[in-house]
Amino acid sequence: MSALRFLWGVARTPRGAVSAAVLVLVILCALFAPWLAPYDYAIQNLPGANTSPNAAHWMGTDEFGRDLMSRIIHGARTSLSVAITAIGISVVAGMTLGAMAGYFGGIFDRVVTAVVDLTWSFPEILIALLLIAIIGTGTESIIIAIAIAYLAQFTRLTRAQVMALRSETYVEATVNLGAGHAHVIFRHLLPNAITPVIVAGMLATGDAIILEATLGFFGLGAQPPTPSWGAMMSSGTAQIFIAPWIILFPGAAIAVTVIAINLFGDALIDALDIRNRLREV
C-alpha cells in the first residue's frame, strides 16, 4: 500500500500525471487490444489499400487495406510485451550476478566485471544483431537478445550498490549471527539496492521498445501477420510518398510511448532522490 501511495504521489505531479496517463492508455491498449481494435488486424482489403484517414478508418489503411489503427493497437501488445519481458529477465539476472559479484568479490567478481565491461563496450543494437544472427529471428529471439544486451548495466549498478552496503553494520551483524550467504544477499542486500535498479529498468524499457522497433524494422522481430510498430514503419517506407500515414502513425506511437516512459522515470528519480544516492555510492 505504501508503494501505491508513493506512485500516486509521483503521478500527481504535472510531469508524472501526463506521462502516467499516456502509459496507462498504452497499457490498456495492449491488454484489451482484441476488444478495443475496431477491425481484425490481419484481414486484408486490397481494393481499400492506402486509404487516407477517414471516418471509417481513423488512421487510414496500409498497402494491404488493413486498418492501421487496429494494427497499431495490437502492435502495442507486441512492443510492450517484448520490452517488459526482456528487461524483466535482464533485471533479475543482472541483480543476481551483480549482487553475487559485489558480495563475494575475488575471482568471481573479476570474471563477471570483465565480461560485463566487454559487453558494455558494444552498442546494444550490435549485440542484439549478433545474437539474432546466432539464434534466429522471431519474438522469442528478440526477447533473449534484448535481455542479454541490457544485462551489463543492471549487473554493474547492483554490484556497486551491494559493495557499498556490505560493510554496513546491520549486514556485519547478520553475518556474525550465523546467517548464510543467500539470506544476507536476498533478504538484506538486494531489498536495499533494488530501488535504483528498478528505476533504471523502467528507463531501459523505453530504450528496449526502440530496439525492438529497430529490429522489427529490419524484419528480425515479430513475423507477419503479427503487427509490430517497427515492422509497420518498415513497410511504410515504400509507401511514404503515396501513403505517409503508414509510417507516421506507428512512429508517433513509438515516440509518445518512449517519451512518456522517460518522463515518468525522471519523476521517479526526482521523488526517490536517486541521483544524490548514486553519488554517494
Side-chain angles (χ1 to χ4, degrees):
M1 292 300 296
S2 60
L4 291 176
R5 284 196 296 268
F6 172 76
L7 290 176
W8 173 248
V10 174
R12 291 180 66 182
T13 63
R15 179 173 50 181
V18 174
S19 57
V22 173
L23 290 178
V24 168
L25 178 61
V26 175
I27 292 172
L28 289 176
C29 288
L31 291 176
F32 302 105
W35 297 276
L36 293 177
Y39 299 93
D40 188 322
Y41 69 84
I43 292 181
Q44 299 183 11
N45 179 25
L46 295 180
N50 295 330
T51 301
S52 60
N54 53 52
H57 301 280
W58 290 4
M59 295 184 180
T61 62
D62 63 8
E63 67 274 22
F64 296 108
R66 297 172 297 192
D67 181 65
L68 198 61
M69 182 176 178
S70 300
R71 291 184 60 78
I72 289 176
I73 291 175
H74 280 274
R77 171 174 290 189
T78 302
S79 296
L80 286 186
S81 61
V82 168
I84 293 174
T85 303
I87 295 301
I89 295 172
S90 191
V91 165
V92 172
M95 289 191 68
T96 303
L97 279 175
M100 294 175 63
Y103 179 75
F104 292 111
I107 188 170
F108 180 78
D109 180 35
R110 290 195 292 272
V111 170
V112 171
T113 303
V115 173
V116 164
D117 288 344
L118 178 63
T119 58
W120 214 1
S121 61
F122 297 97
E124 287 85 358
I125 180 64
L126 183 59
I127 297 175
L129 288 172
L130 177 62
L131 290 171
I132 290 174
I134 297 173
I135 62 180
T137 61
T139 303
E140 294 80 7
S141 300
I142 291 289
I143 291 174
I144 295 172
I146 294 177
I148 295 176
Y150 285 93
L151 181 64
Q153 61 176 290
F154 303 122
T155 303
R156 286 184 62 92
L157 181 56
T158 305
R159 174 180 175 272
Q161 292 288 105
V162 169
M163 290 182 69
L165 292 170
R166 69 180 180 182
S167 59
E168 293 289 333
T169 304
Y170 71 92
V171 176
E172 295 178 354
T174 303
V175 173
N176 292 333
L177 288 173
H181 297 312
H183 179 86
V184 174
I185 292 174
F186 292 103
R187 293 293 299 274
H188 295 281
L189 292 176
L190 283 181
N192 289 286
I194 194 172
T195 302
V197 180
I198 294 299
V199 175
M202 181 173 184
L203 295 175
T205 302
D207 296 335
I209 290 175
I210 295 177
L211 181 55
E212 186 275 334
T214 303
L215 297 172
F217 187 88
F218 294 139
L220 304 176
Q223 300 302 304
T226 304
S228 167
W229 288 344
M232 293 167 67
M233 292 184 66
S234 178
S235 64
T237 55
Q239 313 287 327
I240 190 168
F241 296 111
I242 303 174
W245 50 87
I246 298 178
I247 193 172
L248 290 178
F249 285 120
I254 295 172
V256 169
T257 303
V258 173
I259 290 173
I261 291 174
N262 289 337
L263 288 177
F264 194 79
D266 286 341
L268 278 178
I269 290 174
D270 292 341
L272 294 169
D273 199 21
I274 296 292
R275 294 187 176 91
N276 289 333
R277 290 178 59 182
L278 291 178
R279 292 192 192 103
E280 296 172 359
V281 174

